[in-house]
Amino acid sequence: MDLGNLGLFKLMSRKMDWLTQRQEVLSQNIANADTPEYKSRDLKPFSFRDALSDSRRLTPVATNASHLAGTRGAGGLSQEQKVRDPYETAPDGNNVVLEDQMMRMSQSSMDYQTITNLYKKQVAMIKSAIRTGS
């Protein structure tokens, strides 16, 4: 049984992937804290709404000529990096604030641990259901 095909597990995996990518971007920001003209970056916030409206969802098929085609929003989960508005910039043009970056890293770490715990609990529930069902 591949848990990656179940909706909840797929969403949790995508959130964990996003958190991993964010940790990499934040670590690059910290590594370049003393680089002149370096601008800190961050990922677009992860939204479960965007993840649910991902383009990989099944699209309805018209089985009758009178069916309407329907429309879908341009949602989707894009991992584009963006430059945030700096509120503190050093004289050399670097806008990395180490305290801010460290707070973001710790928040990402806590979120990752939370998702990991949820994943474990879901697997334990499935195992329990399989054991009691047989």
Side-chain angles (χ1 to χ4, degrees):
M1 176 179 191
D2 183 18
L3 296 178
N5 290 334
L6 298 175
L8 180 63
F9 288 100
K10 193 180 295 186
L11 281 174
M12 286 190 290
S13 294
R14 292 187 66 197
K15 174 73 173 186
M16 290 170 79
D17 290 342
W18 180 86
L19 288 167
T20 301
Q21 289 177 357
R22 185 168 194 226
Q23 201 79 338
E24 289 174 13
V25 170
L26 294 175
S27 64
Q28 289 173 358
N29 289 345
I30 291 171
N32 290 301
D34 293 328
T35 305
E37 297 297 322
Y38 183 82
K39 305 295 181 208
S40 65
R41 301 179 307 164
D42 202 351
L43 295 181
K44 176 183 171 191
F46 184 86
S47 165
F48 283 108
R49 181 180 302 262
D50 289 343
L52 289 173
S53 66
D54 190 11
S55 62
R56 291 184 285 188
R57 291 179 60 189
L58 295 175
T59 56
V61 176
T63 57
N64 188 327
S66 63
H67 287 169
L68 298 175
T71 60
R72 264 181 47 171
L77 180 66
S78 72
Q79 298 292 338
E80 295 177 9
Q81 297 177 359
K82 63 179 183 176
V83 177
R84 64 178 183 83
D85 293 331
Y87 58 88
E88 185 175 323
T89 304
D92 64 359
N94 187 314
N95 71 350
V96 176
V97 179
L98 287 176
E99 293 83 5
D100 182 49
Q101 299 301 313
M102 295 304 288
M103 277 186 358
R104 290 172 190 240
M105 284 192 81
S106 64
Q107 182 63 46
S108 293
S109 178
M110 288 187 300
D111 289 348
Y112 194 90
Q113 188 64 39
T114 301
I115 296 293
T116 303
N117 289 337
L118 284 172
Y119 202 95
K120 288 178 186 177
K121 297 259 185 207
Q122 294 297 321
V123 169
M125 283 178 31
I126 289 175
K127 284 181 180 178
S128 175
I130 290 172
R131 274 188 239 122
T132 58
S134 47

